[in-house]
Amino acid sequence: MASFSYLMSVLALCVIIGYANAQLELNFYAKSCPKAEKIIKDFVQQQVPKAPNTAAAILRMHFHDCFVRGCDGSVLLNFTSSNGNQTEKLANPNLTLRGFSFIDAVKRLVEAECPGVVSCADIVALVARDAVVATGGPFWNVPTGRRDGTISNVSEANADIPAPTSNFTRLQQSFAKKGLDLNDLVLLSGAHTIGVSRCSSFSERLYNFTGVVGTQDPSLDSEYADNLKSRKCRSINDNTTIVEMDPGSFKTFDLSYFKLLLKRRGLFQSDAALTTRTSTKSFIEQLVDGPLKEFFDEFAKSMEKMGRVEVKTGSAGEIRKHCAFVNN
């Protein structure tokens, strides 16, 4: 009897450990919420054509989420008991994040089908993929089973999310910290092929690069800089004007962004930094010279890799009822 009890205890412990160490898997909700991924996909396909910039917005949200405490939906939180309302949303890189209401709308649809089953973290990952596909961009696998985090800290977001003013060393360190290499850095930066930015994210390159008013980043193509200053960001204090990150092609997922980098026309310092090292510049040239499919395939691999960064699975975290708040 004693040996039987011991055996059952060991088996129970193994089950607990296995559950706690569970991994992401494709179609994780196949039994618990079989319609979840179709509900998400159908909503995205219906809504994104009406607002194409949604794809870039949610893709950016997914990136910012994964770089702070892993892909756990912590970027969505408005409030946590540990630090009041000083959540990731208030971090400088996240003040211009958009798409929260879109994620909330998807969450409501999924909750109506399967209450308390599908995590907000998984919803962000799935919507990011489906929104990019809806704009004609690449498809990538999104293994699911992420759990939602219960901690969101403004200082961690300020420290961990690479700023658009980052130099190469800072970018390399930020990505390496998350298990991402230099190829991932180039490929994920390629997401800048869609979407827009505010002048405040790069205006110092135009007006105050060295800390002296009137200085301009010499690595920025002078004709492009003149165009930005005369037609878009006419003052260093402009915080509202919107600029295409990939001019003339900002709604199309293509190789144009990389071609612009080689012409010294990347919008951000972090874009320009990619061409300051032989290894990353050579990879950019390889992508530009190759077929679009190669970029799509490689981007897909890096997105799936990023989507696995420090995820919470098994019994870790929770499944939030509302994406902006931890459960009571």
Side-chain angles (χ1 to χ4, degrees):
M1 181 67 70
S3 61
F4 177 75
S5 298
Y6 173 75
L7 178 60
M8 293 303 293
S9 297
V10 170
L11 288 174
L13 181 61
C14 289
V15 169
I16 292 171
I17 292 174
Y19 184 59
N21 292 332
Q23 299 297 311
L24 301 183
E25 58 183 84
L26 291 173
N27 302 312
F28 177 84
Y29 301 107
K31 293 183 179 179
S32 58
C33 192
K35 295 181 181 179
E37 293 198 22
K38 186 177 188 304
I39 289 172
I40 294 170
K41 180 181 177 182
D42 288 349
F43 182 79
V44 169
Q45 289 184 333
Q46 179 186 28
Q47 298 298 322
V48 167
K50 302 175 186 177
N53 285 339
T54 300
I58 305 296
L59 190 57
R60 182 173 179 235
M61 179 191 293
H62 184 32
F63 178 92
H64 284 208
D65 184 37
C66 292
F67 264 67
V68 185
R69 291 186 170 268
C71 313
D72 68 348
S74 55
V75 73
L76 304 171
L77 287 171
N78 286 344
F79 177 90
T80 65
S81 58
S82 61
N83 63 340
N85 65 353
Q86 296 299 303
T87 61
E88 293 171 30
K89 279 187 177 180
L90 295 181
N92 289 331
N94 291 336
L95 293 177
T96 54
L97 278 186
R98 297 175 297 109
F100 295 108
S101 60
F102 194 96
I103 297 299
D104 288 340
V106 175
K107 177 66 170 175
R108 286 192 294 270
L109 291 173
V110 175
E111 283 292 299
E113 177 70 19
C114 311
V117 174
V118 181
S119 70
C120 298
D122 274 342
I123 287 174
V124 171
L126 288 164
V127 170
R129 189 270 310 279
D130 292 343
V132 168
V133 171
T135 63
F139 172 93
W140 62 90
N141 289 322
V142 179
T144 43
R146 297 168 188 78
R147 304 268 291 178
D148 295 323
T150 57
I151 298 173
S152 182
N153 189 297
V154 63
S155 61
E156 291 179 348
N158 279 325
D160 290 347
I161 298 172
T165 55
S166 296
N167 60 25
F168 185 88
T169 300
R170 166 71 170 132
L171 291 170
Q172 184 177 24
Q173 291 172 343
S174 297
F175 275 67
K177 185 178 177 181
K178 301 302 173 183
L180 301 170
D181 60 28
L182 293 181
N183 279 8
D184 297 317
L185 167 59
V186 170
L187 291 161
L188 295 175
S189 296
H192 290 173
T193 186
I194 56 173
V196 296
S197 173
R198 286 183 170 84
C199 291
S200 54
S201 294
F202 58 88
S203 58
E204 286 197 352
R205 296 189 77 194
L206 302 175
Y207 295 105
N208 192 30
F209 185 66
T210 64
V212 178
V213 175
T215 55
Q216 182 175 298
D217 183 352
S219 72
L220 185 62
D221 176 73
S222 58
E223 184 179 341
Y224 181 43
D226 290 343
N227 181 279
L228 288 171
K229 288 193 286 188
S230 63
R231 299 187 180 184
K232 298 290 184 178
C233 310
R234 298 180 180 179
S235 163
I236 192 171
N237 299 315
D238 186 339
N239 296 316
T240 57
T241 300
I242 298 298
V243 179
E244 300 169 5
M245 292 193 291
D246 185 359
S249 180
F250 78 107
K251 293 182 180 180
T252 307
F253 216 99
D254 56 21
L255 291 167
S256 176
Y257 164 77
F258 292 121
K259 293 176 182 178
L260 289 174
L261 291 189
L262 297 177
K263 295 178 180 179
R264 301 190 297 119
R265 294 191 173 194
L267 193 60
F268 307 128
Q269 276 180 258
S270 58
D271 292 326
L274 301 179
T275 62
T276 62
R277 294 296 187 276
T278 301
S279 58
T280 47
K281 186 177 182 181
S282 295
F283 186 44
I284 292 170
E285 291 170 339
Q286 175 186 322
L287 291 170
V288 167
D289 291 339
L292 181 61
K293 183 180 184 301
E294 179 182 350
F295 170 44
F296 276 24
D297 290 347
E298 295 302 313
F299 181 83
K301 293 174 186 175
S302 288
M303 282 302 302
E304 183 174 348
K305 186 177 177 181
M306 186 190 78
R308 294 179 180 273
V309 168
E310 298 171 10
V311 294
K312 295 169 179 63
T313 58
S315 58
E318 64 181 14
I319 304 297
R320 281 185 226 140
K321 297 175 184 176
H322 304 283
C323 291
F325 302 95
V326 295
N327 297 338
N328 294 325

